[in-house]
Amino acid sequence: MKYYVLIIMSCFINMTYSQNCKSKFFGEVHDFHDGTPMIAASIYIENLDKYTSTDIDGNFSFDNLCDGKITVVVSHLSCETKRFDIQISGDTFYEVNLEHHIEELNEVKVKGASNSKLTKTSQETIIKAKTIERYSASSLGDALKEVAGVSSINTGNTIVKPMINGLHSSRILILNNNVRQQDQEWGVEHAPNIDINSAGQISVIKGSGTLAYGGDAIGGVVVINPNRVISNDTLYGRTIIGGQTNGRGYNISSTLNKNYSSGWFAQVQGSYRKNGDFKAPDYNLTNTGLDSKGLTTRFGKKKFKSGFEVYYSYLNNEIGVLGTSHIGSTFDLVRAINSGQPILIEDFSYDINTPKQNVTHHLAKVNYYKRFQNFGKVNLQYDYQHNQRLEFDVRIGDRKNIPAIDLTLQTHTILADVNLDSNLNQKVNFGLMGRFQDNFANPDTGVRRLIPDYEKYDFGIYSTAEWKLNDDLIVDAGIRYDFNKIDAKKFYRKSRWEERGYNIDFQNIIIASVIGSQVFNGVIDPNAQEYLTNPVFDYHNISGSVGAKYSINDNNQILFNYSLASRPPNASELFSDGLHHSAARFELGNIRFDKEIANRVSGSYTYNNSKFSFLTEVFYNRIKDYIYLKPLDFILTNRGPFPIWAYEQTNAELFGIDISATYNFTDTWQWKNKTAFIKGYDLKADLPLIDIPSFNTMNQITYNHEAWHNFSASLKSEWVFEQNEYPDFNFEIENQLTEEIISVDISSPPPAYHLLHFYSEATFALSKKTNLNIALGVNNLLNTSYRNYLNRLRFFADDLGRNITLQLQLKY
């Protein structure tokens, strides 16, 4: 028996000595971007419990390893840890590439500065998720007013259009999840079709801050990003339920996110909001309700080296327009202005009657990106948008339910973008954009079409660069070229055609004459009542920017930026030819218009310490061929006289200063201030510009006590001064029945006003992973009667009275 034992032991000893345990495992650890060696990276062999670190050249090695499979863990400060298996067979070499700044990038992204397509020297302000959540029952335009220098131009209280440093509409570029919003933004009464509940973060950039999406952002850029993707196996969500006393409104929004450590992710978000008639301090605002439905979904895979995303959003808004704003003639407008309160006041109702808007917006997007070692990142994106706008006027008979304006806008866009970031001290970004847009104006409305059918073609190419000269100084620059082509089909009345002098300058664009109900193609007939024309315009636009950001020390920073922006006229400015009843005016475009060219210079100074932060931003914006609406003449209709407002061009300048400050008296008491001052002038006419915000300042005192379930309470004081510089567009008109001369005051701003607002909240932990936030707010605490100069319905009624809001937010 002992011989058998000796034989087995001998075989085992021989097997042991025959296994190779002299192998060497060695390699290098490099930065993925630029290939530089990673010093002091930790290398750990998990199943052998062996450890080492890289030297100054990024090298590491392990000696005397047995052949076989080992599990290696590589980690480094501010890096994503890598874990992988290696088969050792003799001496084995392995190269490891780590993303050196991945944690830093994720953190910066939360603050809104990680998007490489934004210039680092722009005047950018971030609205974080916590602030956005407060506006779940409001609009994007309301939330943006949290930023100094940002106001809004309103049509009532539910159609809120953002205004940055005095500019709005087509001069502001809105990016929704990397897609440029296309929703007929040219109209003052066209609010952005974006559900604020789908936003995880909003950046407001004053001036042209992103050449990657357009060079026409004369006023500024709003960047809306969804919640960031977390590369962990997790399921989480948020539900917000709210109610308000003014308008007896209620709203609900819910979001559910699923993420995997493999990079796969999915999100779905839905919201619903309902309001009835709102109320001024002394009366109901009849027919001002809102019914809003939104849905957003996205899924994809996001890893550092590559990924893709599919995104879809839907929003439908049915919006009541103040009933008394429906004007039958200029005489009705005079009566409304002089009455002091709405002529039509009815009991509260959730019904939305005419006049009203019904707007539906669809957005679909797919994008793909891939990183290449020692090179950079390539992005490809396609997006499609479908926007239908229906505007209903007060009509009788068979046309009661037929919209007076029926526009369908479809937009296809392709983007290709390359970001060269292998050199961390020098980054270059360049790309191409192609876009096709088709606008269809339904002719079956029974009303002359305000905007014609047109097709629009856009092509853009751009390049930006950023240099980190040292730890304190960053310089960036960029240039962009855009080609825009608009091809329209439009009917002109012969009388209007000749009145505007188009028969001299544009006779060659007539493609048919209309006599009675007959159309004669290729004929210019002197007996024609209308001409069918085919205006085709090409625009070549150059835009650019250059800037510098310098850190004086840990507390002080200064910034300088110069931008050149070029904006071609939009369809409304070129082709408008019809009546807007709620504005009581005809609007006329001009096909002679050239593009706007803006030169903007801005600077900022920032100071921060543990108790006090201060930011002041100054700017000067000079715009050549600035386009604006101006009263021109009268037109007599079967309903009475209406003023004609015509688009005109001039040279303009805007300048101002925005101030933001925060002071922490103690750990629990805080003071905030936000102040904006702006002036705008028509340099040709030597007059102030119309619709410029007046001086305004906000002060807020907040009490915080984290031990009391993160309790906070704040009182906000809002002062809006009277606008004392405005163009005098008032006019007089004769009542042909009484021969009375009537003065129509459409220019004088309302007086200054002061409002107080209260807000408080607390958060309660329901479990380890679930908490409930309860928020109570009171807007216009003292129920003050006031009118805002930038509200187009100020002629007819006061703004909103006191509004008590209650919001419950469950995070799980």
Side-chain angles (χ1 to χ4, degrees), residues 315-472:
L315 183 67
N316 173 255
N317 285 331
E318 186 178 17
I319 307 169
V321 178
L322 182 69
T324 196
S325 69
H326 178 80
I327 301 299
S329 70
T330 301
F331 301 128
D332 290 345
L333 177 62
V334 174
R335 281 195 296 272
I337 293 173
N338 295 334
S339 68
Q341 69 177 39
I343 298 172
L344 174 67
I345 300 177
E346 297 180 351
D347 292 337
F348 172 86
S349 173
Y350 283 105
D351 295 338
I352 299 176
N353 301 308
T354 55
K356 67 177 182 178
Q357 297 181 6
N358 194 314
V359 185
T360 303
H361 188 80
H362 301 267
L363 185 157
K365 170 195 114 169
V366 59
N367 80 305
Y368 172 79
Y369 69 87
K370 185 172 179 60
R371 294 182 187 270
F372 296 91
Q373 188 175 346
N374 299 325
F375 177 73
K377 181 180 178 182
V378 177
N379 297 275
L380 299 174
Q381 178 175 304
Y382 165 78
D383 58 78
Y384 168 75
Q385 297 178 71
H386 183 283
N387 191 89
Q388 183 172 38
R389 167 169 289 274
L390 306 176
E391 298 187 9
F392 294 84
D393 195 7
V394 177
R395 307 166 83 179
I396 59 175
D398 296 337
R399 294 181 176 179
K400 182 172 62 173
N401 297 318
I402 298 176
I405 293 179
D406 184 349
L407 300 175
T408 300
L409 184 70
Q410 298 185 75
T411 308
H412 303 262
T413 306
I414 296 176
L415 297 171
D417 178 85
V418 178
N419 182 25
L420 307 180
D421 59 0
S422 60
N423 184 347
L424 297 181
N425 293 320
Q426 176 181 318
K427 299 180 181 180
V428 178
N429 187 236
F430 62 89
L432 300 169
M433 180 277 297
R435 178 179 295 120
F436 170 72
Q437 190 171 81
D438 176 76
N439 181 76
F440 173 70
N442 190 342
D444 299 327
T445 60
V447 177
R448 186 173 184 81
R449 292 184 289 180
L450 181 66
I451 303 295
D453 296 342
Y454 66 83
E455 293 181 344
K456 190 167 181 283
Y457 306 85
D458 300 317
F459 171 78
I461 182 171
Y462 69 92
S463 179
T464 62
E466 174 193 320
W467 299 271
K468 185 177 181 180
L469 301 184
N470 53 51
D471 291 340
D472 300 321

Side-chain angles (χ1 to χ4, degrees), residues 21 56 70 75 127 136 191 263 283 401 414 436 447 463 528 670 770:
C21 290
I56 194 170
I70 62 173
S75 59
I127 304 177
S136 178
Y283 44 78
N401 297 318
I414 296 176
F436 170 72
V447 177
S463 179
Q670 183 189 72
T770 305

Side-chain angles (χ1 to χ4, degrees), residues 20-25 48 50 62-66:
N20 181 16
C21 290
K22 299 292 186 179
S23 296
K24 180 178 181 181
F25 172 52
L48 299 180
K50 289 181 177 290
F62 292 90
D63 297 323
N64 300 322
L65 299 183
C66 298

Side-chain angles (χ1 to χ4, degrees), residues 657-699:
I657 181 171
D658 302 325
I659 296 174
S660 301
T662 302
Y663 183 73
N664 297 307
F665 296 101
T666 66
D667 292 339
T668 55
W669 289 97
Q670 183 189 72
W671 165 80
K672 284 186 179 181
N673 173 267
K674 177 171 68 73
T675 300
F677 170 82
I678 181 175
K679 293 292 183 182
Y681 296 100
D682 179 337
L683 298 178
K684 288 185 178 180
D686 194 23
L687 289 172
L689 291 176
I690 192 172
D691 292 334
I692 297 297
S694 57
F695 177 83
N696 60 87
T697 184
M698 182 276 293
N699 289 278

